[in-house]
Amino acid sequence: MSEPLLSINGLSTGYAGVPVVRDIGLEVHAGEVVALLGPNGAGKTTTLLAASGLLPALAGSVTVLGSPVDAKAPHRNARRGLAHVAEDRSLFSDLTVRENLRLGLSGNRAQRATAQTAALGHFPELERLMDRQAGLLSGGEQQMLAMARALASSPRILLVDEMSLGLAPIIVERMLPIVRDIADDLGTAVLVVEQHIHMALGIADRAYLLSHGEVVLEGDAAELAQRRDLLEASYLG
Ligand SMILES: Nc1ncnc2c1ncn2[C@@H]1O[C@H](COP(=O)(O)OP(=O)(O)O)[C@@H](O)[C@H]1O
Ligand SMILES: [Mg+2]
């Protein structure tokens, strides 16, 4: 298999020097969707923050597109092709949908127009909302905008944290297949955190299960989906 686009090795990281995840090993290849599962507080968000350089490693390493993630200037990782849709969606609520989308774009005018059209192609719902302030959108629409903004940067690696947070399952059912399409069509390496385990396993190639800051299970998504007992045991602690 080719080199992974995202590779995490022996990673420990946390807050104020105290590790909350330990010795994490994880990789995501081009065109692959990998689900990061686990109960609340397991360390999923912390792992994504370290993967995008927003949280420095206490031990171990994060390699993005062949070189170490930049934890000193995380925006450089974005420029190299890493997009992170955070739990809070990080939208500018006073700006319009159009303006929020524009902030995700790089390249010349023609390239930006093409990228924006492609991103909106996944979310036609947003077209009639282009001039509305992001803060006035529904939760589902905000999540679509956050995803569209990430896609508009044509990422090679896409990290998505709990897009279902506060949303109806039907929105998640709408969003997860898009994540799959992005990996299939653009060859993006996707790492997705999702509470709806079975929905996530339905579109993922592989999955890692975190518990108390450690990877306790990893494998083929279809096989893990059959091991309900193991998954439930981890969730119940
Ligand atoms: N900013 C923070 N400061 C200190 N501890 C934190 C912070 N954010 C998260 N934690 C702790 O780190 C652990 C992992 O949290 P998190 O990565 O958010 O878990 P998950 O995303 O799996 O629910 C939890 O025990 C949580 O309380
Ligand atoms: Mg989280």
Side-chain angles (χ1 to χ4, degrees):
M1 207 187 235
S2 59
E3 285 290 296
L5 299 190
L6 172 67
S7 169
I8 298 179
N9 290 292
L11 174 75
S12 296
T13 186
Y15 306 92
V18 180
V20 301
V21 301
R22 284 168 303 276
D23 199 22
I24 302 283
L26 179 161
E27 50 189 40
V28 190
H29 291 81
E32 200 178 32
V33 177
V34 172
L36 186 56
L37 308 173
N40 267 335
K44 304 179 299 296
T45 294
T46 303
T47 301
L48 287 200
L49 289 172
S52 61
L54 295 169
L55 204 55
L58 294 166
S61 64
V62 175
T63 305
V64 163
L65 302 165
S67 48
V69 74
D70 196 329
K72 298 229 161 60
H75 62 275
R76 291 208 191 115
N77 304 311
R79 223 176 291 145
R80 281 163 62 200
L82 185 146
H84 183 176
V85 181
E87 249 173 354
D88 66 4
R89 296 167 196 147
S90 310
L91 297 172
F92 293 90
S93 52
D94 292 341
L95 298 185
T96 64
V97 169
R98 190 187 309 281
E99 289 162 340
N100 269 281
L101 269 177
R102 211 174 275 157
L103 291 172
L105 300 175
S106 60
N108 65 34
R109 195 188 174 89
Q111 287 167 328
R112 293 199 308 267
T114 308
Q116 175 164 335
T117 306
L120 280 175
H122 290 286
F123 304 103
E125 295 95 329
L126 291 177
E127 304 243 16
R128 63 180 178 84
L129 302 169
M130 290 297 276
D131 295 311
R132 190 166 301 177
Q133 282 186 329
L136 299 178
L137 302 181
S138 71
E141 289 161 351
Q142 288 187 6
Q143 188 63 65
M144 287 182 202
L145 175 54
M147 282 287 287
R149 199 175 66 177
L151 296 187
S153 69
S154 308
R156 310 242 351 253
I157 302 173
L158 175 64
L159 312 175
V160 187
D161 202 350
E162 281 205 52
M163 54 185 156
S164 55
L165 210 65
L167 300 180
I170 191 157
I171 311 269
V172 187
E173 275 173 42
R174 165 93 177 82
M175 303 289 285
L176 281 175
I178 294 172
V179 160
R180 179 74 258 173
D181 287 346
I182 291 158
D184 290 344
D185 299 347
L186 307 176
T188 305
V190 183
L191 181 61
V192 59
V193 171
E194 182 50 63
Q195 282 301 342
H196 293 82
I197 314 174
H198 289 279
M199 278 193 216
L201 291 176
I203 59 110
D205 298 297
R206 291 186 305 113
Y208 295 82
L209 178 62
L210 284 187
S211 178
H212 301 294
E214 293 180 22
V215 175
V216 292
L217 202 58
E218 65 177 278
D220 182 78
E223 282 168 23
L224 284 178
Q226 303 297 319
R227 298 305 311 271
R228 218 185 168 115
D229 49 339
L230 279 179
L231 290 171
E232 282 175 2
S234 313
Y235 272 76
L236 296 172

